[in-house]
Amino acid sequence: MRFLLISLIVHAPDPVTGVSKPTNERFREVIENALIAEELGFDGFGVGERHERPFISSSPPVVLSHIAALTSRIRLFTAVTTLSLLDPVRAYEDYATLDHLSGGRLELIIGKGNGTAQRELFHVTPEDQWDRNAESYELFRRLWREEKVTATPRFRPSLTEAEVWPRPLQRPIRVWHGSATSRESVDLAARYGDPLFSANVSNPIEPYAELVRHYRERWAAYGHDPAAAVVGAGTAGYYADHRSQDAVAAYRPVFEGTLAFQRRLGLEPVFPTLEDFIERSSALIGSPQQIVEKVHRYHERFGHSVTHLHADADGLTDAQHRASLELFQSDIAPVLRKEIPDPPWGWGPVAPVPESAFVEG
């Protein structure tokens, strides 16, 4: 099993102290967490994309390019690239450039995106959002693979023998499909033989397990080898300590502060108590042994080989956050790496593909 740290770059008051950090400090914190991820041996670091409050993750190519310059090993993920809002040609240019700057360490997780405000910002409607996502991905996919592209899409100007540069270092860059609730994303992933990344954050396991089951069914229906389907899964929170009582006590102020923030936003919490959150959500809170057991319970339902943890302290102190990540790598990750298989592909930077190996599509 492989492990990522992911930040959506939420810019909101600390759930425990209520203190709001300046924007530049919040970005610096994200960069520092990426460096910690590489230092401690995590396999990847991801940055979200949102175009509305309380997020400042509107430009993941810029953030990931900065991280690429400061790291050498971890793979760099988008979480997620909101293709329904973007011009796929411009997105291709950004990410092909980033792939070179990172030495071939880029992986994309794509999705339609959530949030009314960002949809309205880009004049995207609920009725056309799924069609935009599928169309953008299909064009995006052709741009990775073909020297010249001719296409007449609905949602952007047509292309005639269009050459888009630079060509990416990885050919092609791996694309995951992020899915929280939609069968459309799942079907798109299965159709093209792409891996699926289940959000697995906001609700109990059942709706996510149903989507993963549907993905595997559609994967087989499209004629792919069932053994080749790959699934990743998120987690709703993470904090480990040697004793479960200490982990729960340390996380309680974080949970209560987050709960209060949700209620101020007018949101009805899915998990009203910390005990319910630990029991029924995907949160990994407790002793190392408890966390290993919970990941295994989810693996029985998902069959996943990649897991993400929150990159941000989210109300924990910096010392608590780092100690918990160190404990994950010393006592939790080795067990899970041994007991749960990796995805069936290499994980490090890639070697450049010679220009002579490229065949015009």
Side-chain angles (χ1 to χ4, degrees):
M1 177 168 268
R2 296 287 182 161
F3 303 99
L4 320 178
L5 295 184
I6 285 181
S7 175
L8 301 183
I9 321 187
V10 176
H11 192 218
D14 184 286
V16 176
T17 66
V19 174
S20 294
K21 296 180 178 179
T23 300
N24 65 331
E25 186 175 338
R26 182 70 186 96
F27 278 124
R28 186 172 68 248
E29 187 175 61
V30 172
I31 301 304
E32 289 171 354
N33 284 332
L35 297 179
I36 289 172
E38 174 141 303
E39 175 191 345
L40 296 184
F42 283 89
D43 301 293
F45 190 88
V47 171
E49 180 179 337
R50 296 291 289 269
H51 299 269
E52 61 185 341
R53 290 176 180 268
F55 306 93
I56 53 172
S57 51
S58 58
S59 188
V62 176
V63 177
L64 288 173
S65 291
H66 189 69
I67 293 170
L70 299 174
T71 59
S72 61
R73 182 189 57 79
I74 52 172
R75 293 196 67 80
L76 304 174
F77 284 73
T78 62
V80 301
T81 296
T82 53
L83 276 184
S84 67
L85 308 179
L86 305 176
D87 180 335
V89 174
R90 190 69 186 95
Y92 164 87
E93 293 172 333
D94 285 342
Y95 285 116
T97 301
L98 172 54
D99 193 44
H100 282 279
L101 294 176
S102 67
R105 290 185 284 143
L106 178 63
E107 303 214 14
L108 298 177
I109 307 175
I110 68 161
K112 73 170 180 61
N114 296 311
T116 300
Q118 66 174 6
R119 189 173 62 236
E120 292 176 347
L121 183 65
F122 289 91
H123 288 217
V124 173
T125 70
E127 292 75 25
D128 68 21
Q129 194 165 18
W130 288 117
D131 290 341
R132 285 176 179 272
N133 186 64
E135 178 185 282
S136 291
Y137 174 59
E138 288 159 1
L139 183 54
F140 199 64
R141 194 171 191 275
R142 290 185 61 193
L143 291 169
W144 293 129
R145 291 164 169 80
E146 300 176 26
E147 185 90 22
K148 297 179 181 180
V149 174
T150 296
T152 308
R154 287 174 56 198
F155 300 108
R156 64 145 285 129
S158 62
L159 300 173
T160 302
E161 291 292 291
E163 296 182 275
V164 187
W165 296 90
R167 310 308 300 163
L169 180 57
Q170 299 177 91
R171 297 189 182 169
I173 292 172
R174 185 175 298 111
V175 176
W176 301 67
H177 295 250
S179 175
T181 59
S182 72
R183 290 195 167 205
E184 289 90 342
S185 290
V186 165
D187 188 80
L188 192 65
R191 185 190 320 163
Y192 286 107
D194 294 329
L196 178 73
F197 215 109
S198 172
N200 191 39
V201 169
S202 303
N203 294 291
I205 192 172
E206 285 75 18
Y208 303 115
E210 169 59 24
L211 281 174
V212 172
R213 183 194 63 78
H214 182 65
Y215 167 68
R216 294 185 185 279
E217 287 181 354
R218 297 306 300 155
W219 177 278
Y222 283 116
H224 305 302
D225 179 1
V230 175
V231 175
T235 55
Y238 166 70
Y239 186 71
D241 207 331
H242 294 284
R243 299 195 320 150
S244 60
Q245 303 96 312
D246 295 335
V248 172
Y251 200 81
R252 189 173 298 279
V254 176
F255 177 80
E256 292 175 349
T258 302
L259 203 67
F261 180 68
Q262 290 175 345
R263 286 176 169 148
R264 286 196 298 273
L265 294 176
L267 303 174
E268 185 61 33
V270 175
F271 308 103
T273 68
L274 176 58
E275 289 69 25
D276 186 44
F277 183 62
I278 294 172
E279 176 63 28
R280 294 197 304 122
S281 84
S282 61
L284 304 176
I285 299 164
S287 67
Q289 183 58 37
Q290 288 173 321
I291 288 173
V292 167
E293 291 172 356
K294 189 166 188 179
V295 172
H296 270 290
R297 290 200 301 273
Y298 272 75
H299 180 70
E300 289 174 4
R301 302 289 297 276
F302 294 163
H304 62 304
S305 53
V306 180
T307 292
H308 88 53
L309 306 178
H310 288 202
D312 301 310
D314 291 332
L316 299 166
T317 67
D318 291 342
Q320 286 175 320
H321 182 49
R322 183 179 177 103
S324 184
L325 294 177
E326 289 176 345
L327 187 59
F328 186 90
Q329 290 290 29
S330 64
D331 289 29
I332 300 169
V335 177
L336 294 172
R337 291 185 196 279
K338 181 179 179 181
E339 296 175 350
I340 299 177
D342 285 348
W345 53 64
W347 199 260
V350 302
V353 177
E355 291 296 323
S356 60
F358 185 78
V359 178
E360 185 173 334

